[in-house]
Amino acid sequence: MERRRGMDDYELGPVPPQRPLDRFGFIKQNVSSTPEGLAMNRIVIEYDREARRVRKWRKMIGVGGSDWKHYARRKPHVVKRRIRKGIPDCLRGLVWQLISGSRDLLLMNPGVYEQLVIYETSASELDIIRDISRTFPSHVFFQQRHGPGQRSLYNVLKAYSVFDRDVGYVQVCLISGLLLLYMSEEDAFWLLIALLKGAVHAPMEGLYQVGLPLVQQYLFQSEHLVREHLPKLGEHFSQEMINPSMYASQWFITVFSYSFPFPLALRIWDVFLYEGVKIVFKVGLALLKYCHDDLIKLSFEKLIHALRNFPEDAMDPDTLLPMAYSIKVSRSLGESKNEYEKQNGKVMESTELMGKHKQLH
């Protein structure tokens, strides 16, 4: 029997040419025209501010996160406020593991990841090799064909496709890539497990299962929120036959890591891992609210384009996120979830009755 080819059977591709990168490792699209002196002064100020924040965070979490649980229990409001302001980038990987519960999963399952990567086989291996080059193609870590970044992503996706055959790997490719920018393969794998299986918040796996059942629920809830918080825009969407599936599915499936500016995506992920999916609804509403007056004037085709290409000023984290935090959604989400489950229950009962009726005839 012919052996299935794995990632180790492929040679490294050529090293991509060096190009200017931003501070997150992405290729710069536009080289700044800011005078050199002003740019340097701004960098010094930002560095000093970031250094102060890092010192506060290190004191809060302790060495290797040893003080985290104690501090989080004792001062939850301080933790929430600091996370909403943004986790320092140099500590982001560690803090994400602490707030998601993935660090505990890793410690409780020694050797499991290694077993899945080295000794198990996945039916999706060749598909994974083909697809990984589409993940953050402009980031230096993933650029080299079959290079270290692509190999790490392959290992995580292969392991997950073996661990959870109902979900597989396709939909979690982008999320896995994001996690790998901040942590090791094994850490990224267990954070993926924590998210999809619900270590702290509601499980995400329904976003990626056949039929995308949780996506359908979230889109239903989104439509209710738009009608409640932005009634004029909701009415305009109805008139133009616009529904959330046309623009919001990727918000939930990738938690804004697809096609949104990376600094904004990171800030959203900070809050998402600590507070749960509510922040996705809030950010979505904040975007629509910010662009409300422009969106309400547009007809169908221009509206679709605008909803998939928000203006740059709407994507500023320091403008958008405070607006999102001010929006209250908990009560409405609870009510619309109950309504969705009632409607879906009736649909399922109706389908079952039809099936039984056919069996009788």
Side-chain angles (χ1 to χ4, degrees), residues 26 29 38 51 67 101 145 176 179 216-217 225 264 283 359:
F26 288 92
Q29 300 302 317
L38 284 175
D67 295 337
R145 186 169 170 77
S176 303
L179 299 179
Q216 305 306 323
Q217 177 193 311
L225 285 171
L264 174 61
V283 169
Q359 288 175 359

Side-chain angles (χ1 to χ4, degrees), residues 309-358:
N309 300 273
F310 287 97
E312 190 175 333
D313 56 323
M315 303 286 207
D316 178 3
D318 295 323
T319 302
L320 184 67
L321 292 180
M323 190 186 294
Y325 300 149
S326 70
I327 300 172
K328 308 299 180 189
V329 298
S330 296
R331 178 189 53 78
S332 185
L333 285 177
E335 291 172 357
S336 57
K337 181 184 178 185
N338 290 337
E339 186 179 338
Y340 180 80
E341 287 174 348
K342 280 180 188 174
Q343 288 187 16
N344 250 33
K346 286 177 182 175
V347 170
M348 287 174 69
E349 285 172 19
S350 168
T351 305
E352 287 171 8
L353 284 172
M354 287 176 64
K356 288 177 182 177
H357 182 74
K358 284 180 181 177

Side-chain angles (χ1 to χ4, degrees), residues 230-241:
L230 305 166
K232 288 184 180 178
L233 188 61
E235 180 60 32
H236 183 60
F237 281 175
S238 295
Q239 290 172 356
E240 294 297 328
M241 301 181 73

Side-chain angles (χ1 to χ4, degrees), residues 12-25:
L12 290 173
V15 176
Q18 287 192 338
R19 294 168 64 184
L21 304 174
D22 67 14
R23 73 188 190 95
F24 297 108

